[in-house]
Amino acid sequence: MTLSIRWKVALGTLFAVTLALTVAGWLALRSIERVELSRVAENLEARTSLAAFALEPLLAQPGAGRSTRQPEIQSMVRELSRHALARVTVIGPDGTVLADSDTPDDAVSRLENHGTRPEVIQALSAGYGTDIRLSATVGQRMYYLALPMKSGNQIRSVARLAIPLTTLESRIHDLTRAVSIAFGLAFAVSVALSVLLARGVTRPLSAMADVARQLAGGSLGRRIRTTSRDEVGVLGSTLNQMADQLESKIREVSEDRTQLLAMLASMIEGVMVLDCRGKVLQVNPALEQMLMVQGAEARGRAHWEVIRHHELSELVTRVLETRANCGGEMTAAASGRTLRVEASVAGGQRENEACAVLVFHDITAVRRLEKVRKDFVANVSHELRTPLTSIKGYVEALLDGAKDNPEQALRFLEIILKQTDRLNLILDDLLQLSQIESGQVLFKRDPISLSEVVDRTVALIKPLADKKGHTVTVAMPADLPPVLGDPERLSQVLTNLLDNAVKYTPANGSIHVAGQIAGDLPQRLVELSVTDTGLGIPEADRPRVFERFYRVDKARSRELGGTGLGLAIVKHIVEGHGGRVWVEGNQPTGSRFVVRLPAAASAKGGSG
Ligand code: ADP
């Protein structure tokens, strides 16, 4: 059990006070007893001397036989006892009791020999003897004093006076009681005083201990109230200063940490901080997404447990061993993202100190764009080379002599013209696509009636369709809401779709253009579809026909004058209007292209 400082001080003081009081009380009682006894001795000695003086003539008479003088002596002894208020005994030098005031006359001779009594022995040998003991005769504690009675140098007898110590003892007893009461009072006062004193001393210390505990527990706003200027006051104000410093340091550190975490959280790059043993100290939200890991689970674990990637492990091992910055590229298995990792050395040397910082850049989009660019360049070169090779071939043929054959020359020149037109067409489409993609073309956002766009575009395509014997039908509901958009661009979308329908439908087919409302308010959508009874598109190719230069049947497309860019342009324009385009199969044959656009919110109905 540990005692509090208050109890230690209180009990220590009490112990000291109790010890001092006990010793002082005991010494005082002993000293009083001694003084009283010496007074009793003095008094008794005087009385004994007087008794001896009175007895001496009786005992000194020559020839005084004991038996004859004994009654006289006995009576004198009784007389003296009455006056001296003490028991008076006369003892012969051989110890025989000659007279005793407290013994009946006839019993004196039967009294035992007193020669062995200490006071008698002392009186006979030293001329003065005292003793205190319990008297067998009277049954009380008695003070005995004996003096020898001499005639010449010869001791004739010993006069002994004895008084009971009852008075003295009762006085000592009273005194002891008084001292005990005083002791008790002093003890009670000292208990109260020591408790108060201990409280006075320890209360500020307890308050300090309490505040220190709260400071350690995180309540940094707590302070010690001190008014005194003693050591306790100095201790209190020092503790307050320490708490001030601690609070400001902790605030600084937590502000820094908050800023750092905010920076880490807002970074697009993934960040992982490792200690010198490769243990993960920090992971930011961007990296959590890139690697599909939970930051809370990752922290405190080894990096190879968090990211099971051989090359990354090698990179980290290299940076921790060589303490030199390095970098590399990896593909995250979980998310499939391509990541560029830059590992740099931080200052930490010990466990749980930042030793290496890995920054992960998501370069998936960059790599994909690179691939798209490469594919695009390859596609474009291929698309341009085909007509150019053809032109070159026919020009060479003309130069080799065909120019001299007017009929052949004309046919070759017509082919060259056709291929040149095709080149033009490809370049026009490419230019348009690149303008839309780069955002150079801004679409108008006017509420327009799709029915008008449909009518105008169908009228343009009609001659081509007629030429192949196709039937073109239009079904646009009168209550079709307007859409927010660019009429020219939407007309181009429809032109491309109708052009394809005419191209990829064998002669005498049917082409149907329809409009309808899709979705509910407030997200109302307008749907426009172009359905043909042509070749159709295999299901596997359907998602890909909107890619640049993707064709289901390359030869046929070229033969029909296609560039492979029409649907890519359609997709870009529709998406630029916040819409969506896709293709479905038509039953029993053909394709159905669907364009879905958001309806203009404020407008109520279309003109039809
Ligand atoms: P192209 O200039 O070759 O027509 P598009 O981008 O317009 O290029 O079309 C891409 C490919 O999609 C075409 O080559 C063709 O194979 C297929 N296609 C497009 N529209 C139709 C359709 N209505 N019926 C069948 N196939 C189509």
Side-chain angles (χ1 to χ4, degrees), residues 529-584:
S529 61
V530 176
T531 316
D532 62 50
T533 53
L535 308 167
I537 304 168
E539 206 165 336
D541 293 305
R542 282 178 201 161
R544 301 202 60 191
V545 289
F546 296 96
E547 290 174 17
R548 282 174 293 200
F549 298 117
Y550 189 85
R551 294 149 170 139
V552 178
D553 183 340
K554 276 197 170 63
R556 186 189 287 266
S557 161
R558 268 199 212 105
E559 191 189 306
L560 295 168
T563 60
L565 295 167
L567 288 181
I569 293 171
V570 165
K571 186 178 175 227
H572 274 89
I573 295 175
V574 172
E575 286 180 354
H577 278 79
R580 212 157 65 81
V581 58
W582 70 93
V583 59
E584 301 167 351

Side-chain angles (χ1 to χ4, degrees), residues 1-20 187 190-199 201-202:
M1 189 186 77
T2 46
L3 282 175
S4 72
I5 191 163
R6 175 184 300 185
W7 281 110
K8 280 180 189 160
V9 172
L11 291 179
T13 318
L14 263 184
F15 178 73
V17 167
T18 312
L19 191 70
F187 184 77
S190 62
V191 165
L193 280 178
S194 61
V195 167
L196 281 176
L197 179 79
R199 223 167 66 183
V201 173
T202 59

Side-chain angles (χ1 to χ4, degrees), residues 214-413:
Q214 290 183 28
L215 284 171
S219 309
L220 296 175
R222 291 302 310 269
R223 290 292 177 275
I224 296 157
R225 266 187 240 125
T226 53
T227 44
S228 62
R229 289 165 176 241
D230 55 8
E231 289 86 342
V232 176
V234 172
L235 183 65
S237 50
T238 314
L239 268 176
N240 280 346
Q241 277 173 18
M242 271 169 60
D244 285 345
Q245 284 175 6
L246 192 73
E247 194 181 3
S248 81
K249 282 271 176 287
I250 286 179
R251 200 184 304 123
E252 242 171 66
V253 169
S254 84
E255 275 170 14
D256 286 355
R257 188 181 151 76
T258 313
Q259 283 173 14
L260 202 71
L261 286 179
M263 271 160 61
L264 277 177
S266 61
M267 276 175 80
I268 305 165
E269 288 82 12
V271 178
M272 180 184 273
V273 184
L274 302 171
D275 73 356
C276 56
R277 293 193 176 180
K279 194 167 80 182
V280 178
L281 300 179
Q282 196 59 260
V283 168
N284 76 338
L287 191 66
E288 286 178 17
Q289 274 190 355
M290 283 178 194
L291 301 177
M292 311 273 230
V293 293
Q294 287 291 317
E297 285 172 20
R299 270 171 224 122
R301 289 169 62 193
H303 70 87
W304 60 85
E305 288 175 16
V306 178
I307 318 167
R308 295 181 187 281
H309 197 281
H310 178 64
E311 281 153 38
L312 184 81
S313 291
E314 275 186 355
L315 184 81
V316 173
T317 313
R318 201 161 64 235
V319 89
L320 291 178
E321 277 175 5
T322 60
R323 304 200 66 74
N325 299 350
C326 51
E329 218 171 287
M330 64 175 271
T331 306
S335 59
R337 319 289 302 174
T338 310
L339 305 172
R340 166 92 208 150
V341 191
E342 300 293 345
S344 40
V345 184
Q349 301 278 353
R350 286 191 296 265
E351 207 178 337
N352 289 328
E353 274 184 10
C355 191
V357 178
L358 310 186
V359 180
F360 296 74
H361 304 267
D362 189 344
I363 52 166
T364 316
V366 176
R367 290 283 178 267
R368 200 180 57 230
L369 276 176
E370 274 173 10
K371 187 175 180 307
V372 168
R373 190 177 52 79
K374 276 185 202 153
D375 289 355
F376 180 70
V377 170
N379 280 330
V380 169
S381 350
H382 179 73
E383 292 302 323
L384 294 178
R385 196 176 298 123
T386 315
L388 274 174
T389 315
S390 170
I391 291 168
K392 190 172 176 244
Y394 284 106
V395 169
E396 280 170 355
L398 281 170
L399 290 174
D400 284 350
K403 65 177 185 310
D404 302 326
N405 181 343
E407 212 177 294
Q408 215 178 19
L410 187 66
R411 199 162 58 81
F412 282 6
L413 283 171

